Amino acid sequence: MQENIQIAIDGPAGAGKSTVAKAVAQELGLFYVDTGAMYRVIAYKALGLNISLEQEEEVSALAWSTEVQLDHSAARRVYCDGEDVTQAIREPEISRAVSRVASYPKVRERLVELQRQEAKRGGVVMDGRDIGTHVLPDAKLKVFLTASLDACSARR
């Protein structure tokens, strides 16, 4: 397997992109870039600083001033400004907030930049919105994953 290969998995919500991406990464010995965790970090920090998620400019500025790090080791830790937030970003409060944070163009711009940096670190599998077309347009392999409505419903 090539050391710096990039695999991009796109598709609609509920199609199983993350499940497939994690399995492919493990099978090929590549790093799974959890793009959703990156958005969760920004939501976590905004809520921790009592920044209203309705304040697009403040949340966007926060994204540009926050250090988001993904640990490429087997531990797969997620860091916000050096703090291990791996568990904290999975709390229901963060889950409820993340879609608002991800809707802001300047937040997405910043996190796309960080996702591309992650891809440059070595072989990766990445899934999410517009990964193959926008985040990793030169990925060696691009997959558009779909699932029937019944399959999506069964997973839920």
Side-chain angles (χ1 to χ4, degrees), residues 6-155:
Q6 297 173 356
I7 299 174
I9 302 178
D10 280 306
K17 297 182 302 290
S18 295
T19 301
V20 169
K22 289 174 190 174
V24 168
Q26 183 170 355
E27 183 68 26
L28 298 178
L30 302 174
F31 179 67
Y32 167 65
V33 177
D34 187 348
T35 59
M38 299 173 101
Y39 288 94
R40 287 173 171 274
V41 166
I42 304 307
Y44 166 84
K45 187 170 180 184
L47 291 173
L49 293 173
N50 293 316
I51 295 173
S52 169
L53 298 181
E54 303 303 316
Q55 299 297 319
E56 181 175 352
E57 286 185 28
E58 288 184 48
V59 174
S60 296
L62 182 70
W64 284 89
S65 66
T66 300
E67 182 183 351
V68 179
Q69 289 183 295
L70 302 178
D71 176 10
H72 283 227
S73 76
R76 303 207 28 81
R77 311 307 291 173
V78 180
Y79 297 91
C80 173
D81 297 327
E83 173 192 358
D84 184 343
V85 296
T86 308
Q87 297 303 319
I89 63 171
R90 301 296 173 186
E91 293 294 322
E93 180 182 25
I94 306 305
S95 296
R96 287 188 297 272
V98 73
S99 63
R100 169 61 77 192
V101 168
S103 73
Y104 296 138
K106 290 292 183 184
V107 171
R108 287 195 311 274
E109 181 182 327
R110 170 63 175 154
L111 294 184
V112 165
E113 176 183 288
L114 294 178
Q115 291 159 9
R116 288 177 178 153
Q117 288 175 13
E118 287 293 330
K120 288 179 183 176
R121 290 178 62 186
V124 299
V125 178
M126 198 178 296
D127 70 286
R129 175 184 264 180
D130 301 326
I131 296 297
T133 56
H134 184 65
V135 180
L136 299 177
D138 297 324
K140 184 76 169 173
L141 175 63
K142 297 179 187 181
V143 175
F144 189 84
L145 185 68
T146 62
S148 69
L149 198 52
D150 290 339
C152 291
S153 297
R155 289 186 62 237

